[in-house]
């Protein structure tokens, strides 16, 4: 008997800027990632998404590949600057047409399209007017979500507003390692609020559009966090990391309230009090929650036991006062520790707050320094092992009665890994960036076999 229900969703995931290329085609405007990648030193190998996997010109081939792998859903993202080149106002029909063709190609091959509206590529003109530090960007997002959903709801039924608002807020505006590369300290907490508000307003607008069988949700990255010891200081480190990493996002969306301790830590209690009315939109019911899960953190407090000024806690992606401890567990090529059981922890976080709310793992995967061997195959045994261990964890969550309903492997193919450029490979399909040749790795075939076995 299968460990997964018959209607469990099996997918692969990608994001626009990481795979599409064609950055200046069909009227696309510049995004913060075009600007950031062109900034010397921002991306380790000096690369950009200008060509990436050239997916923009290879839709047929890439969707055919997914069919070969036997997946039944494809999570991709829609590039806001293809639809609204300056962020608001003038719509670029060719941008919408591209995503219609992508969705139709999926449907023709029996693959359900899942669209993410914002996977980090904010139109540059909106950043020039304040980006996510400005409330106007939340309203601009709602306008973009509403018109894109209305234009494509006949071919796309699954919609994710934002991908990982934690990353947009804290990597984008906290430590600046992602676009737009700003270091705004506590401003990054304001960015988190505007992102969540954008999610809420966008969701409301899409609901108002109606449409047949629409499933609307949000994807967050959650951290399974454990203390390095049973000391009081390490427990405090867990509270802080769990606060900014998980509760700041889960609580307002699922329970309608921000965590008071996190607002106090960051000195934002008054700022949030003035915006209390936004919580109605932010907590509007979602049809599902997406979780991206990669690793678990084991944390400790400062060596001297003294937590520095907590209002500076966001200067370093939310955890200046928190140290991540090496547990000795095996690590991927990203240096991320491998802890499959953390996947069960993060699904449980949603289950505790919203029992029965459908959850999908919208990303899970690992980077390894893959090479195509002399026989033309990619023997990525480490990725196969990572995949199987995490599918076992997913089965465990299902077995424990949690409403885990789907799993999307990150990623369909190797791609532009943000600040790491092309130096990290996450695909279950190898991409030769010189020739754009795709080669299914052993993990791709292993995923196909696992999906087939799960279907029974
Ligand atoms: C996630 C991102 C995704 C990819 C993976 C490795 O944080 O959503 O685009 O970069 O990490």
């Amino acid at each position: 008997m299968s460990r997964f229900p018959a209607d469990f969703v099996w997918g692969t995931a990608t994001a626009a800027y990481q795979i599409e290329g064609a950055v200046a085609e069909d009227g696309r405007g510049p995004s913060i990632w075009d600007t950031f990648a062109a900034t010397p030193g921002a991306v380790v190998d000096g690369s950009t998404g200008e060509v990436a996997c050239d997916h923009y010109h290879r839709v047929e081939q890439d969707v055919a590949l997914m069919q070969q792998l036997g997946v039944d859903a494809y999570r991709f993202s829609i590039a806001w600057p293809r639809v609204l080149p300056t962020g608001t106002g003038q719509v670029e029909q060719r941008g919408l047409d591209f995503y219609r063709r992508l969705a139709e190609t999926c449907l023709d091959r029996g693959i359900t399209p899942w669209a993410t509206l914002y996977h980090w590529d904010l139109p540059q003109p909106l950043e020039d007017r304040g980006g996510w530090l400005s409330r106007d960007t939340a309203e601009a997002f709602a306008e973009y979500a509403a018109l894109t959903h209305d234009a494509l709801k006949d071919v796309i039924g699954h919609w994710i507003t934002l991908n990982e608002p934690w990353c947009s807020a804290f990597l984008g505006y906290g430590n600046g390692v992602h676009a737009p590369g700003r270091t705004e300290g506590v401003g990054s907490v304001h960015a988190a609020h505007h992102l969540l508000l954008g999610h809420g307003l966008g969701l409301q607008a899409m609901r108002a559009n109606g449409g047949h069988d629409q499933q609307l949700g949000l994807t967050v990255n959650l951290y399974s966090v454990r203390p390095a010891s049973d000391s009081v200081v390490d427990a405090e480190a867990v509270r802080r990391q769990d606060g900014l990493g998980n509760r700041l996002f889960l609580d307002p969306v699922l329970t309608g309230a921000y965590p008071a301790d996190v607002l106090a830590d960051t000195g934002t209690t008054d700022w949030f009090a003035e915006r209390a009315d936004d919580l109605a939109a932010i907590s509007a019911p979602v049809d599902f929650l997406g979780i991206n899960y990669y690793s678990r953190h084991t944390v400790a407090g400062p060596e001297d036991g003294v937590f520095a000024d907590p209002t500076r806690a966001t200067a370093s992606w939310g955890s200046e006062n928190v140290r991540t401890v090496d547990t000795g567990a095996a690590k991927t090529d990203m240096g991320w520790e491998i802890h499959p059981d953390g996947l069960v922890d993060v699904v449980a976080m949603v289950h505790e707050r919203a029992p029965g709310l459908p959850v999908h793992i919208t990303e899970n995967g690992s980077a390894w320094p893959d090479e195509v061997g002399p026989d033309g195959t990619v023997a990525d045994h480490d990725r196969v092992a990572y995949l199987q261990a995490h599918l076992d964890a997913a089965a465990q969550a299902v077995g424990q009665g949690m409403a885990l309903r789907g799993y999307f492997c990150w990623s369909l193919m190797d791609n532009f890994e943000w600040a790491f450029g092309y130096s990290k490979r996450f695909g279950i399909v190898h991409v030769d960036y010189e020739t754009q040749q795709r080669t299914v790795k052993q993990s791709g075939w292993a995923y196909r076999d696992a999906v087939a076995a799960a279907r029974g």
Side-chain angles (χ1 to χ4, degrees):
M1 221 190 83
S2 173
R3 303 177 296 171
F4 295 93
D7 58 356
F8 197 82
V9 177
W10 295 102
T12 58
T14 64
Y17 190 71
Q18 296 181 275
I19 64 164
E20 286 179 359
V23 291
E25 261 174 73
D26 290 341
R28 178 187 179 276
S31 82
I32 55 174
W33 268 96
D34 297 285
T35 309
F36 187 73
T39 309
V43 175
V44 292
D45 58 1
S47 64
T48 73
E50 216 173 317
V51 178
C53 307
D54 194 34
H55 171 73
Y56 196 77
H57 302 116
R58 292 165 197 265
V59 165
E60 302 286 337
Q61 176 193 349
D62 291 339
V63 176
L65 208 49
M66 275 185 268
Q67 189 183 27
Q68 246 188 305
L69 296 177
V71 301
D72 42 37
Y74 176 40
R75 173 176 177 243
F76 57 92
S77 81
I78 294 180
W80 185 346
R82 285 200 192 282
V83 176
L84 290 157
T86 60
T88 55
Q90 188 66 41
V91 175
E92 175 51 79
Q93 187 58 42
R94 289 173 295 178
L96 289 171
D97 290 347
F98 170 73
Y99 294 107
R100 169 170 295 278
R101 188 161 63 79
L102 171 59
E104 284 174 350
T105 307
C106 288
L107 293 170
D108 285 348
R109 293 189 181 266
I111 296 167
T112 305
W114 287 52
T116 300
L117 283 158
Y118 185 68
H119 201 126
W120 306 353
D121 43 2
L122 186 71
Q124 183 63 43
L126 292 182
E127 177 56 32
D128 296 342
R129 299 205 293 271
W132 290 108
L133 298 176
S134 163
R135 186 184 185 88
D136 292 348
T137 301
E139 277 156 25
F141 174 77
E143 175 195 325
Y144 153 64
L147 76 89
T148 306
H149 175 257
D150 202 38
L152 298 173
K153 66 183 192 286
D154 60 322
V155 285
I156 303 175
H158 293 79
W159 294 85
I160 293 167
T161 51
L162 311 176
N163 177 69
E164 301 188 352
W166 179 93
C167 289
S168 298
F170 295 123
L171 302 184
Y173 296 86
N175 69 1
V177 305
H178 277 185
R182 296 176 65 170
T183 47
E184 299 290 338
V186 94
S188 57
V189 184
H190 303 170
H193 176 70
H194 294 140
L195 281 148
L196 289 171
L197 179 62
H199 152 76
L201 296 175
L203 196 89
Q204 283 182 338
M206 292 193 279
R207 288 256 188 258
N209 282 341
H212 177 65
D213 203 14
Q214 297 291 303
Q215 298 288 310
L216 313 179
L218 164 74
T219 279
V220 289
N221 51 315
L222 295 180
Y223 293 93
S224 164
V225 195
R226 307 228 174 141
S229 77
D230 56 12
S231 74
V232 175
V233 174
D234 291 354
E236 171 65 4
V238 169
R239 182 190 68 76
R240 286 167 182 249
Q241 170 106 32
D242 179 51
L244 275 165
N246 302 320
R247 293 184 285 118
L248 184 65
F249 298 90
L250 283 180
D251 289 0
V253 172
L254 298 181
T255 73
Y258 277 109
D261 63 320
V262 177
L263 306 193
D265 282 352
T266 54
T268 56
T269 306
D270 295 345
W271 190 89
F272 275 86
E274 285 163 23
R275 288 157 183 82
D277 290 350
D278 293 343
L279 278 161
I282 294 172
S283 63
V286 286
D287 299 315
F288 66 89
L289 201 82
I291 302 176
N292 294 350
Y293 176 76
Y294 289 92
S295 184
R296 183 169 90 202
H297 290 188
T298 302
V299 300
E303 257 153 35
D304 61 4
V306 181
F307 284 86
D309 177 4
T311 61
R312 282 185 41 76
T314 55
S316 171
W317 58 283
S319 49
E320 187 172 65
N321 294 301
V322 173
R323 289 179 297 137
T324 302
V325 175
D326 190 329
T327 68
K331 297 186 185 75
T332 69
D333 196 30
M334 297 296 281
W336 298 347
E337 288 190 358
I338 303 174
H339 290 288
D341 54 353
L343 186 145
V344 184
D345 297 347
V346 294
V347 177
M349 287 178 196
V350 178
H351 181 72
E352 282 157 16
R353 290 171 174 83
L357 177 71
V359 173
H360 293 269
I361 298 296
T362 41
E363 287 180 26
N364 172 246
S366 57
W368 301 99
D370 308 307
E371 277 170 27
V372 182
D375 63 349
T377 67
V378 182
D380 57 339
H381 304 299
D382 289 323
R383 188 176 289 98
V384 172
Y386 180 101
L387 175 68
Q388 284 169 345
H390 286 77
L391 292 181
D392 287 347
Q396 215 182 310
V398 171
Q400 289 176 16
M402 297 185 225
L404 181 61
R405 302 272 194 263
Y407 175 93
F408 292 74
C409 184
W410 184 273
S411 176
L412 169 64
M413 56 187 156
D414 295 336
N415 57 49
F416 177 79
E417 178 45 37
W418 308 113
F420 292 91
Y422 299 100
S423 70
K424 303 292 178 196
R425 294 180 177 272
F426 271 94
I428 55 173
V429 173
H430 182 274
V431 176
D432 177 328
Y433 296 111
E434 298 289 313
T435 62
Q436 292 297 344
Q437 169 79 37
R438 275 78 162 135
T439 305
V440 178
K441 301 178 191 177
Q442 272 180 21
S443 58
W445 302 127
Y447 189 45
R448 175 198 59 184
D449 294 346
V451 169
R455 289 205 189 105

